[in-house]
Amino acid sequence: MSASYLSLSGRTALITGAARGIGSAIAHRLLEVGCQIVAIDILPSVEANVAALQSRIPNAPRAWSFVADVRDRTRLHVVRDNLVADGVHVDILIPNAGINIRAPALEISPDAIRDIVDTNLVGVISTLQVFVPMILERDNPKVVIMSSLSAIYGTVSRAPYVGTKAALSGLVRSLAVEWGPRNVTVNAVGPGIIRTPLTEAYMEQFPDKTRAAVTNSPLRRIGTPEEVADVVLFLASNASRYITGQTIYVDGGLSAGTDWW
């Protein structure tokens, strides 16, 4: 396959949750292949992070940064209006923003449940409703949603999170059917255990769980944000032009099963 299939030169991708972790790795990978980016995050550090990413790439594509909470639809409208006013066209949407609050299912507070659902599910739908009209006028529009291995792999003390990620895989299938006639492909990426600033704190607190994750993964290691970003790039590129409605798990083989039995 020609490398041009993975080139996104002349394209613009909008990424939520772009200030750190997987979102930052996605932003970096897309900039490397010539894609302009619109980076959105609730953290004010998103602007400095994007500038740092650009500084690592010779003749880096343009980038725009906005501080916004995906739970705040009004703020998303402001971002969209600013992009339209500046003549910025969006070709690729990557709703990546998400949160997790670990607590037993019978103990997690109603406020925490609402935060998880409003960010991980409602926030994704809001992002799509606000920005998909922008991509419909473009050639080969793409939507790549960040799901999780948790969509099919239940874990303790994460019930609301698992529920939202399972919902996203269903959302992807429905939207693929609904928007396919308009030439929009809709897919999801489901990371497994990935070494990010958030997961590293958990790994340091529970090193035994980290060792168990490595032992039970067929590839016998923890994944990196860059490995997730590579799959996002594939789904955002012309190489995936006949793939839609799918969730691709980037999990080192955890979802394939285990050899412990």
Side-chain angles (χ1 to χ4, degrees), residues 85-108:
D86 289 344
V88 180
H89 299 285
V90 177
D91 307 278
I92 303 158
L93 290 183
I94 305 174
N96 166 73
I99 63 170
N100 184 22
I101 300 169
R102 294 184 181 89
L106 297 182
E107 298 175 15
I108 189 167

Side-chain angles (χ1 to χ4, degrees), residues 31-35 54-62:
L31 286 168
E32 287 182 317
V33 296
C35 188
Q54 287 182 293
S55 70
R56 303 175 196 167
I57 302 169
N59 301 313
R62 292 188 66 186

